[in-house]
């Protein structure tokens, strides 16, 4: 009997085990097959979302540690639409505090979503005010993230070079774009946990992020301010002036001390059309400024002396084409130095013909034209210098006074800096570092001879006629330089009388230059736009401005009025 009872109990246990297994299997079937969609939907409803918030961006400083751009505390404001209360009050608040369009705010507030960005880079004080008012009005649903916003303590100063930063904390133009990786650092990472109904259950910081690395420039904010003020004045006062730039370089190192562009960029409402330094990104025909470089090549070859005489009659015929002087004026036989002071085209054509196509083209290539300089700014172009085999005698002739080719401002400035330092072409730089030699353009002796000629072009002897460059002369500073005025060529129209580029390249003191300056203006509406009353006086005012701030001091003896009696 006992044995039979034991067997029966085992049968019952086995039966129960089988029934239990069937129940488990059945439940698994129900979960995996029958209710799969319902539980899958629940699992998907509980999700994590990753939000990246920009880290504190590295500051940008001038050579003396003056800040040009840095980050200040700000807020990123979002909305958890599932928790929203009092939407109409919230709309009123955001319109009032952020100046947003009501329809735009309404679309965001009534959006069917769990998370909506309202505004990024909100001023810290404004964000605090919105948070306090929302609490007092009983508005729920706003989410505030501590963040950063770019500030420009010097206003629009150098903004065409600096560029701007987008709401995502990344550079959009200029140095901010070129050095974005190092400036931006690593973003702060925040995770959101939300469940069914898109309600936010939890929010935590996963990665604190790392601040960006600061950038130090070669710019001197004092010289930059002088140049920006002068370009703004020129655009306001010179009839028809559309745009301009002023470049100041250290010819011994290649460092850019100032690079000002106008019209200026408004940091509050930056115009994309102005967010590029056009002295780097656009080309122009340099006009008679180029005569100094062609003359330098002839001095270097021993083909010319400053007091050699030439006939300055107009026109001169080259390959059947008439080449005239400015306004068709003819000159009697005069010295080369006089021809430079009066910018006589026909004399420079004769000098270029002595050089010949082969040597002239080789010198211009050696001077860096038709090539990028390698300056640390985005968008640099190469300029236009046609290949040697494409040059004709006419190309040689018009190149002698800066037409038939195109340069960038930084190319032209670098070439004149080389003339100033004794012939060494340096890479122009906006970041500190040792000088970087690109080549040699002429001998120190040839450079000194041309510097003396260009000093005469700014300050001729009392017996000579007034030169085109005299308004750049500042007593005691020994300014030397060359002016240029060139009509612009338009596709299908050729050279157009009211489209004009004017410029002056200069340096001081002429014997051992410490500063090289280039000023260029352009008009598209004034045929009587000349360097003598635009770029030339601007060079003089920049030198005066540098002197008034104590950046530069007189290098020559000056006389001061005495008292008689």
């Amino acid at each position: 009997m006992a044995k039979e009872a034991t067997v029966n109990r085992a049968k019952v246990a086995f039966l129960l085990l089988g029934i239990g297994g069937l129940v488990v299997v059945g439940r698994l079937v129900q979960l995996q097959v029958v209710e799969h969609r319902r539980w899958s939907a629940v699992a998907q409803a509980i999700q994590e979302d990753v939000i990246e918030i920009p880290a504190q961006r590295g500051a940008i400083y001038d050579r003396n540690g003056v800040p040009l751009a840095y980050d200040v505390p700000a807020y990123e404001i979002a909305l958890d639409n599932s928790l929203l209360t009092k939407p109409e009050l919230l709309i009123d608040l955001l319109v009032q505090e952020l100046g947003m369009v009501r329809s735009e705010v309404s679309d965001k507030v009534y959006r069917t979503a769990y998370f909506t960005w309202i505004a990024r880079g909100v001023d810290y004080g404004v964000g605090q005010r919105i948070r306090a008012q929302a609490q007092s009005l009983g508005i729920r649903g706003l989410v505030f993230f501590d963040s950063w916003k770019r500030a420009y303590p010097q206003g629009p100063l150098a903004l065409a070079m600096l560029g701007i930063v987008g709401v995502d904390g990344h550079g959009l133009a200029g140095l901010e774009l070129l050095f974005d990786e190092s400036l931006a650092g690593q973003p702060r990472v925040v995770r959101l946990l939300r469940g069914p109904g898109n309600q936010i259950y939890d929010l935590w910081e996963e990665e604190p992020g790392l601040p960006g690395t600061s950038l130090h420039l070669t710019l001197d904010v004092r010289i930059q301010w002088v140049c920006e003020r002068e370009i703004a004045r020129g655009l306001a006062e010179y009839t028809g002036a559309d745009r301009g730039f002023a470049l100041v370089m250290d010819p011994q190192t290649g460092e850019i001390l100032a690079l000002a562009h106008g019209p200026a960029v408004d940091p509050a409402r930056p115009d994309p059309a102005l967010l590029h330094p056009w002295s780097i990104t656009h080309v122009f025909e340099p006009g008679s400024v180029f005569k100094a470089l062609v003359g330098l090549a002839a001095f270097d070859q021993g083909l010319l002396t400053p007091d050699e005489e030439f006939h300055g009659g107009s026109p001169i015929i080259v390959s059947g084409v008439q080449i005239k002087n400015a306004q068709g004026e003819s000159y009697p036989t005069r010295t080369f130095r006089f021809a430079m002071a009066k910018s006589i085209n026909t004399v420079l054509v004769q000098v270029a013909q002595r050089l010949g196509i082969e040597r002239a083209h080789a010198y211009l290539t050696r001077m860096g034209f038709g090539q990028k300089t390698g300056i640390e700014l985005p968008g640099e172009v190469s300029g236009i210098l046609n290949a040697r085999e494409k040059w004709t005698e006419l190309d040689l002739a018009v190149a002698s006074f800066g037409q038939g080719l195109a340069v960038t401002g930084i190319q032209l400035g670098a070439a004149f800096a080389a003339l100033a330092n004794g012939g060494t072409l340096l890479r122009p730089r906006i970041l500190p570092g040792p000088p970087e030699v690109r080549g040699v353009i002429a001998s120190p002796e040839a450079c000194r001879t041309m510097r003396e000629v260009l000093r005469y072009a700014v300050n001729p002897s009392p017996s000579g006629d007034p030169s085109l460059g005299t308004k750049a002369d500042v007593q005691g500073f020994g300014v030397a330089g060359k002016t240029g005025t060139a009509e612009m060529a338009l596709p299908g129209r050729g050279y157009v009388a009211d489209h004009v580029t004017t410029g002056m390249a200069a340096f001081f003191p002429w014997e051992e230059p410490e500063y090289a300056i280039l000023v260029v203006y352009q008009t598209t509406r004034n045929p009587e736009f000349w360097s003598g009353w635009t770029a030339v006086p601007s060079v003089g005012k920049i030198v005066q401005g540098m002197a008034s701030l104590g950046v530069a001091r007189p290098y020559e003896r000056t006389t001061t009025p005495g008292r008689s009696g």
Side-chain angles (χ1 to χ4, degrees):
M1 288 293 293
K3 183 176 180 181
E4 186 178 346
T6 300
V7 171
N8 289 335
R9 284 196 298 270
K11 289 180 179 180
V12 171
F14 180 78
L15 180 61
L16 291 174
L17 182 61
I19 293 172
L22 290 174
V23 170
V24 171
V25 171
R27 182 57 176 159
L28 287 173
V29 170
Q30 182 182 21
L31 289 173
Q32 294 179 10
V33 180
V34 179
E35 299 185 16
H36 169 74
R37 292 182 179 178
R38 181 168 69 87
W39 287 106
S40 177
V42 172
Q44 290 176 2
I46 302 174
Q47 292 185 357
E48 290 182 357
D49 291 282
V50 177
I51 297 174
E52 290 190 352
I53 299 174
Q56 183 177 10
R57 194 172 176 86
I60 302 178
Y61 299 96
D62 89 331
R63 66 189 301 113
N64 299 309
V66 177
L68 299 169
Y70 55 63
D71 273 9
V72 295
Y75 279 113
E76 315 259 303
I77 303 177
L79 178 64
D80 178 359
N81 302 67
S82 65
L83 296 178
L84 174 63
T85 61
K86 302 184 178 179
E88 288 303 319
L89 288 180
L90 176 58
I91 292 172
D92 291 339
L93 176 60
L94 295 176
V95 168
Q96 175 185 338
E97 291 293 342
L98 298 178
M100 298 174 69
V101 178
R102 178 171 290 274
S103 59
E104 178 189 356
V105 179
S106 182
D107 288 343
K108 291 186 175 185
V109 168
Y110 286 110
R111 180 185 174 202
T112 304
Y114 76 96
F115 184 89
T116 302
W117 282 116
I118 296 296
R120 310 185 73 174
V122 177
D123 287 347
Y124 194 75
V126 174
Q128 287 185 315
R129 198 162 58 239
I130 293 174
R131 173 179 269 174
Q133 291 187 54
Q135 289 176 347
S136 67
L137 293 171
I139 299 171
R140 295 182 58 206
L142 288 178
V143 183
F144 293 81
F145 300 94
D146 290 323
S147 186
W148 302 95
K149 181 180 182 179
R150 209 57 165 166
Y152 301 93
Q154 311 303 326
L157 202 74
L159 205 58
M161 274 192 299
L162 296 176
I164 59 171
V165 176
V167 294
D168 61 354
H170 288 290
L172 299 178
L175 293 167
E176 298 276 23
L177 172 63
L178 189 63
F179 295 97
D180 184 61
E181 185 174 350
S182 60
L183 285 168
Q186 296 180 15
R188 176 179 166 221
V189 178
V190 175
R191 283 190 178 269
L192 289 174
L193 180 66
R194 58 185 176 87
N198 291 323
Q199 182 175 353
I200 298 176
Y201 286 146
D202 200 1
L203 181 154
W204 69 93
E205 181 179 85
E206 185 171 87
E207 296 178 16
L210 291 173
T213 303
S214 293
L215 195 63
H216 293 263
L217 309 181
T218 61
L219 294 181
D220 187 319
V221 73
R222 299 168 298 176
I223 304 176
Q224 183 74 24
W225 179 81
V226 167
C227 290
E228 299 232 357
R229 179 185 64 176
E230 179 52 30
I231 292 299
R233 185 200 66 80
L235 293 180
E237 296 183 12
Y238 300 150
T239 303
D242 295 320
R243 65 180 183 176
F245 74 80
L247 166 68
V248 180
M249 290 181 67
D250 181 339
Q252 307 303 324
T253 65
E255 292 179 338
I256 306 297
L257 303 176
L259 185 51
H261 297 83
V265 182
D266 181 356
R269 286 173 291 277
D271 182 349
L274 301 178
L275 275 175
H276 59 78
W278 69 273
S279 62
I280 310 292
T281 61
H282 288 65
V283 299
F284 56 90
E285 294 192 7
S288 293
V289 173
F290 226 56
K291 291 174 180 174
L293 302 175
V294 174
L296 174 63
F299 283 146
D300 195 53
Q301 286 291 310
L303 303 174
L304 178 69
T305 65
D307 295 315
E308 184 174 353
E309 293 188 335
F310 292 83
H311 192 275
S314 178
I316 188 173
I317 309 299
V318 178
S319 300
V321 176
Q322 290 188 353
I323 295 179
K324 301 178 181 180
N325 292 324
Q327 299 177 312
E329 188 171 357
S330 284
Y331 297 86
T333 299
R334 301 299 296 267
T335 65
F336 175 77
R337 78 172 70 244
F338 178 89
M340 288 293 287
K342 299 297 287 184
S343 203
I344 303 175
N345 292 344
T346 56
V347 170
L348 267 295
V349 170
Q350 297 171 61
V351 172
Q353 288 172 335
R354 289 187 184 182
L355 272 170
I357 291 175
E358 202 72 44
R359 286 186 293 194
H361 193 279
Y363 268 95
L364 296 183
T365 302
R366 189 185 307 172
M367 292 172 181
F369 299 108
Q371 313 153 49
K372 294 180 181 180
T373 67
I375 189 172
E376 310 97 327
L377 285 168
E380 183 183 13
V381 294
S382 300
I384 302 171
L385 178 64
N386 289 333
R388 152 65 191 90
E389 55 271 18
K390 293 185 177 180
W391 263 34
T392 65
E393 290 295 329
L394 185 59
D395 292 319
L396 172 66
V398 297
S400 72
F401 50 89
Q403 296 202 286
L405 44 75
V407 306
T408 64
I410 196 64
Q411 284 176 342
L412 194 57
F416 267 82
L419 192 166
N421 71 25
T424 302
L425 184 66
L426 301 174
R427 181 172 75 83
R429 30 186 336 119
I430 200 74
L431 299 184
E436 188 175 316
V437 176
R438 298 178 62 207
V440 176
I441 68 169
S443 69
E445 294 76 21
C447 290
R448 181 177 176 81
T449 301
M450 180 51 73
R451 291 201 303 270
E452 186 274 328
V453 169
L454 296 184
R455 173 60 182 150
Y456 176 86
V458 172
N459 183 30
S461 65
S463 60
D465 293 335
S467 89
L468 300 176
T470 51
K471 290 183 180 179
D473 196 27
V474 180
Q475 188 178 21
F477 286 85
V479 178
K482 184 69 192 79
T483 65
T485 300
E487 290 180 349
M488 289 189 261
L490 300 182
R493 296 177 60 186
Y495 289 101
V496 181
D498 58 359
H499 285 57
V500 182
T501 299
T502 65
M504 183 177 191
F507 41 80
F508 69 94
W510 75 268
E511 292 177 293
E512 295 181 0
E514 295 182 12
Y515 300 96
I517 301 174
L518 176 64
V519 174
V520 173
Y521 289 101
Q522 288 188 328
T523 183
T524 56
R525 48 205 167 101
N526 184 2
E528 296 302 319
F529 202 71
W530 297 93
S531 61
W533 58 266
T534 57
V536 177
S538 283
V539 168
K541 289 182 182 297
I542 288 172
V543 176
Q544 291 170 355
M546 292 170 64
S548 67
L549 292 179
V551 178
R553 290 179 169 79
Y555 301 93
E556 304 167 352
R557 287 188 175 184
T558 59
T559 58
T560 56
R563 186 174 63 184
S564 61

